[in-house]
Amino acid sequence: MNIQPISALYAELCVLAGADEQLRRDLWQSLEKYDIFARTAHTSFAETCRQFISAKRVDGLSEKTLTGYEIDLRIFGAFLNGKPPAEITTDDVRAFLSYLQADRRVCKSTALTYLMVLRSFFGWLVREELLLRNPCNKIRSAKIDRMRTRKPLTPEAVERARRACISLREQLAFELLISTGCRLGELENLSPNAIDLQARSIVVTGKGDKTRTVYFSTRAKVLIMEYLQKHPGAKRILPGGRQIEKTTLAIGKRAGLEEKLIPHRLRHTFATHALESGMNIIVIQQLLGHTSLDTTQIYARISHVAVRRAYEQCIP
């Protein structure tokens, strides 16, 4: 499936134009105004998506990430009624993003995630020389204050949430999430075999199928031991991710929290409180499983408390 690049078409026309330099310049100026595709470029959206997912699988992306890509692209394709990628314009992408926020009521950060997926998809098509231009390039990403959208729980709110837990399973889910800082997918279906009670540690698999060791609190250890005593043959400590999410939402509602209590908010709370308690940000980066320190600094908002403590440690 080849696209007729403008430069190739221009070269052919120059042969016809001969030595007339002015005509050549006029031809180039005219051609620059258009996207010119060969007929073979009009492969179906679904087929192109399959090729993209296959390529990303070879690149080493996790199956969970690939599933997310497939879902987002399927929603985009359905919105455009399966329009071939070669015919998709910047206006189509803008209309889709507007639809997400106006009709599906997604938040700005979720819409930005969709845009990132589309940029990756069309960027791959351009690199594979299946498209000339990425229709997402002209779309400016909305500036989202991640510090504001990821508000950690205050210590008081953490205690309210603890008191709102009504079962041992709820207590376990809450304490493991807030004391390990793990992503939801890293703790779902947690097996007792993955837990080292003596070291208070768990080996989890994060993004990119990378494993790391995380640690849990003494409070979580007591709860785990109690759960295993009551369920000696249990094959897992925590349920699936969807059930954990429902659990945290219910806890937050009972606790009277203003914002929804999702697992990721507990992860952000862990990072922020760890930093405020004086933990080195490089250690926090390791515990969270971040490849880039920049990501850690987004999750772990540097508060005035942490700044003051760091200052007083260095300057008496």
Side-chain angles (χ1 to χ4, degrees):
M1 180 172 59
N2 298 316
I3 291 175
Q4 178 66 58
I6 289 178
S7 56
L9 180 57
Y10 174 67
E12 292 181 18
L13 292 175
C14 281
V15 173
L16 299 176
D20 191 330
E21 291 296 332
Q22 184 58 48
L23 179 56
R24 290 187 177 194
R25 285 193 292 271
D26 292 343
L27 284 171
W28 180 252
Q29 290 176 359
S30 296
L31 289 173
E32 277 192 312
K33 300 175 184 177
Y34 302 96
D35 290 333
I36 302 174
F37 306 106
R39 289 183 180 178
T40 52
H42 296 274
T43 300
S44 72
F45 185 84
E47 176 58 29
T48 308
C49 285
R50 281 193 288 271
Q51 294 173 3
F52 169 70
I53 295 299
S54 296
K56 290 301 176 180
R57 181 173 286 112
V58 172
D59 289 344
L61 270 65
S62 70
E63 287 301 317
K64 186 172 183 178
T65 298
L66 294 176
T67 299
Y69 279 11
E70 286 181 305
I71 293 172
D72 291 350
L73 289 172
R74 192 180 306 127
I75 293 171
F76 178 65
F79 175 77
L80 295 179
N81 296 315
K83 193 174 186 178
E87 298 178 16
I88 294 174
T89 65
T90 299
D91 285 341
D92 288 330
V93 178
R94 287 196 180 107
F96 174 66
L97 296 174
S98 177
Y99 154 76
L100 288 175
Q101 296 183 67
D103 295 0
R104 293 178 68 99
R105 303 291 183 183
V106 306
C107 62
K108 288 184 178 179
S109 59
T110 300
L112 180 58
T113 299
Y114 276 96
L115 178 57
M116 291 170 63
V117 171
L118 293 177
R119 278 197 176 129
S120 178
F121 172 64
F122 287 111
W124 174 79
L125 288 173
V126 171
R127 289 192 299 276
E128 293 291 311
E129 298 183 352
L130 303 177
L131 281 185
L132 285 177
R133 294 184 180 88
N134 185 334
C136 298
N137 285 347
K138 295 179 182 179
I139 299 176
R140 296 176 60 187
S141 299
K143 292 183 178 179
I144 298 175
D145 188 343
R146 295 184 185 273
M147 303 292 189
R148 293 179 182 274
T149 58
R150 296 173 178 171
K151 293 180 181 178
L153 296 177
T154 64
E156 294 77 15
V158 170
E159 289 307 314
R160 282 164 54 196
R162 281 196 174 108
R163 292 195 298 270
C165 294
I166 59 176
S167 69
L168 179 58
R169 206 82 183 276
E170 286 191 356
Q171 290 177 303
L172 256 178
F174 182 84
E175 293 300 336
L176 282 173
L177 285 166
I178 202 166
S179 68
T180 63
C182 282
R183 302 176 180 92
L184 174 60
E186 295 168 345
L187 286 182
E188 63 179 346
N189 299 317
L190 177 63
S191 166
N193 295 330
I195 301 172
D196 185 334
L197 281 172
Q198 185 173 358
R200 286 197 284 121
S201 66
I202 308 171
V203 176
V204 298
T205 302
K207 289 185 177 181
D209 291 328
K210 295 179 180 179
T211 60
R212 72 181 189 283
T213 301
V214 298
Y215 301 90
F216 50 85
S217 65
T218 302
R219 191 192 300 263
K221 177 180 177 178
V222 171
L223 292 169
I224 292 172
M225 293 174 64
E226 182 181 349
Y227 185 85
L228 291 177
Q229 286 176 352
K230 292 183 176 179
H231 307 278
K235 294 184 179 180
R236 61 183 187 179
I237 297 293
L238 295 179
R242 183 58 184 154
Q243 185 57 46
I244 294 175
E245 191 171 21
K246 288 181 179 179
T247 295
T248 59
L249 287 171
I251 293 171
K253 189 173 182 179
R254 280 189 233 113
L257 302 182
E258 292 182 3
E259 296 187 24
K260 290 182 179 179
L261 183 60
I262 60 174
H264 202 83
R265 193 177 178 197
L266 294 177
R267 173 173 164 86
H268 182 43
T269 299
F270 162 81
T272 303
H273 290 183
L275 186 64
E276 291 181 348
S277 299
M279 187 181 292
N280 187 292
I281 196 167
I282 302 298
V283 175
I284 297 174
Q285 177 189 4
Q286 173 66 29
L287 291 173
L288 293 177
H290 288 156
T291 302
S292 168
L293 186 59
D294 290 341
T295 307
T296 310
Q297 289 173 330
I298 291 173
Y299 280 70
R301 176 174 53 86
I302 300 178
S303 69
H304 294 297
V305 175
V307 172
R308 180 175 179 177
R309 181 177 288 107
Y311 176 85
E312 291 176 345
Q313 287 176 347
C314 299
I315 302 177

